[in-house]
Amino acid sequence: MFSKHVLAIDAEAVAREAEHAIREHVLGDLKRRGAVIGVSGGVDSAVVAFLCARALGRQKVLCLLMPERDSSSDSLRLGHQVVEALGVASAVEDIGPTLTAAGCYTRQDEAIRRLFPDYGEGWRCKVSLPSLLDGERLNVSRLTVESPSGEVRSARMPLDVYLQLIAATNFKQRARKMMEYYHADRLHYAVAGTPNRLEYDQGFFVKQGDGAADFKPIAHLYKTQVYALAAHLGVPEEIRRRPPTTDTFSLPQTQEEFFFALPYEAMDLCLYAHDHRFTPREVAPTVGLTEAQTEHVFKDIAAKRRTTRYLHLPPLKVQSVQEV
């Protein structure tokens, strides 16, 4: 019988395993002195910070808080909660000027104006996908904008608009990673990655952005398990209650809206079921979907793996060479 309990964990045993691996990776394999973590105010980065502090000692952890123009004020505030709870070193690096110099915001606005010509100062935006529950959906993203007066408009994005908007937005993840590696090089530390299993498997990361890291201590854990681990480790409750968000666009936006199109609890169970060969009929009652809807989710899981496979690939070479 399939049930939600398939994702239950012994949190202390999982924490010990992760901490052992962190020590082996950072001090042994990588020969580094400590770890740098980009802390976003979300549960994933908080759990990674807590694990690193336990594994390496709080004196060997640096948490970076990296706001920009479109960041939620909650992200910075919650990031400070993580730092205060752990008593680790931290730094605030405003990446807004870097993004402005690289043309991130200008390129974003240029793409948006192809759909909404009057978009400008004081406007806000977000990108979303239709729900997986709407049958055989078209995977066509929608752009939603809000004027300074509060008027909301939405339209499907042509491919060229979507590609430019996302390409410009990806400057944000890459600028943050650049800053993490600056501090890692300065301190002879390793950079910790923060994707969970759902994000890692489905390609919900930017190549050479948040996908880049020296070690990824929770990439084997489903999001549901990360929350269980967060409670065990003592991650502040407000962070554990916060809905998963991209914190990328100026309008509030959940990860469900932008990429997964289902709540993480259902996506975790569907991913597990898909990989362990449970049928949609067996899974549907547990996740609260119909058999047909569950089948759509399974198809979407496989499709995302195909389309994001390139994110996981190393640089391709003409001939294989001996690795040092």
Side-chain angles (χ1 to χ4, degrees), residues 159-216:
L159 182 60
D160 63 326
V161 172
Y162 171 81
L163 290 175
Q164 179 171 331
L165 180 55
I166 297 303
T169 303
N170 287 349
F171 274 116
K172 299 181 181 185
Q173 287 82 0
R174 291 180 174 127
R176 289 190 175 102
K177 195 58 60 173
M178 176 179 67
M179 195 62 70
E180 290 173 32
Y181 272 100
Y182 161 74
H183 285 282
D185 290 347
R186 178 178 67 83
L187 297 168
H188 202 60
Y189 280 10
V191 170
T194 62
N196 58 64
R197 185 175 190 146
L198 182 59
E199 294 170 345
Y200 184 78
D201 181 280
Q202 294 288 278
F204 184 50
F205 57 85
V206 175
K207 195 164 190 174
Q208 307 308 328
D210 51 339
D214 296 315
F215 66 105
K216 298 181 179 181

Side-chain angles (χ1 to χ4, degrees), residues 86-278:
L86 290 175
V88 297
S90 67
V92 177
E93 296 278 9
D94 182 357
I95 63 169
T98 299
L99 296 174
T100 298
C104 169
Y105 303 123
T106 300
R107 297 171 206 261
Q108 281 184 317
D109 292 351
E110 179 183 79
I112 293 170
R113 287 194 190 103
R114 295 185 203 164
L115 277 182
F116 302 104
D118 48 349
Y119 185 87
E121 187 73 27
W123 289 63
R124 300 194 297 167
C125 72
K126 68 177 179 180
V127 175
S128 60
L129 278 171
S131 172
L132 275 172
L133 307 186
D134 294 337
E136 296 286 353
R137 69 171 184 171
L138 290 173
N139 275 311
V140 178
S141 295
R142 296 188 68 85
L143 175 63
T144 299
V145 298
E146 181 183 87
S147 72
S149 65
E151 178 192 3
V152 176
R153 293 184 242 164
S154 182
R156 284 185 179 180
M157 282 192 287
L159 182 60
D160 63 326
V161 172
Y162 171 81
L163 290 175
Q164 179 171 331
L165 180 55
I166 297 303
T169 303
N170 287 349
F171 274 116
K172 299 181 181 185
Q173 287 82 0
R174 291 180 174 127
R176 289 190 175 102
K177 195 58 60 173
M178 176 179 67
M179 195 62 70
E180 290 173 32
Y181 272 100
Y182 161 74
H183 285 282
D185 290 347
R186 178 178 67 83
L187 297 168
H188 202 60
Y189 280 10
V191 170
T194 62
N196 58 64
R197 185 175 190 146
L198 182 59
E199 294 170 345
Y200 184 78
D201 181 280
Q202 294 288 278
F204 184 50
F205 57 85
V206 175
K207 195 164 190 174
Q208 307 308 328
D210 51 339
D214 296 315
F215 66 105
K216 298 181 179 181
I218 62 169
H220 62 300
L221 297 176
Y222 293 89
K223 186 83 170 184
T224 305
Q225 296 170 332
V226 173
Y227 274 102
L229 194 55
H232 172 75
L233 294 173
V235 170
E237 184 181 358
E238 188 177 1
I239 293 173
R240 290 187 276 121
R241 287 191 283 105
R242 188 189 192 197
T245 174
T246 63
D247 199 29
T248 298
F249 295 96
S250 47
L251 278 173
Q253 177 194 56
T254 65
Q255 290 183 356
E256 177 185 342
E257 284 181 288
F258 179 66
F259 189 81
F260 294 113
L262 274 183
Y264 76 85
E265 302 98 322
M267 284 301 308
D268 273 352
L269 288 168
C270 286
L271 182 61
Y272 179 96
H274 178 277
D275 290 349
H276 290 81
R277 301 187 181 280
F278 286 93

Side-chain angles (χ1 to χ4, degrees), residues 37-50 63-65 72-83 86 194-196 199 218 223 226-227 230 235-247 255:
I37 305 103
V39 175
S40 66
V43 69
D44 295 318
S45 62
V47 165
V48 170
F50 270 70
C63 287
L64 292 182
L65 291 73
S72 165
S73 59
D74 284 344
S75 297
L76 191 59
R77 180 176 59 81
L78 295 174
H80 280 300
Q81 282 192 23
V82 172
V83 171
L86 290 175
T194 62
N196 58 64
E199 294 170 345
I218 62 169
K223 186 83 170 184
V226 173
Y227 274 102
V235 170
E237 184 181 358
E238 188 177 1
I239 293 173
R240 290 187 276 121
R241 287 191 283 105
R242 188 189 192 197
T245 174
T246 63
D247 199 29
Q255 290 183 356

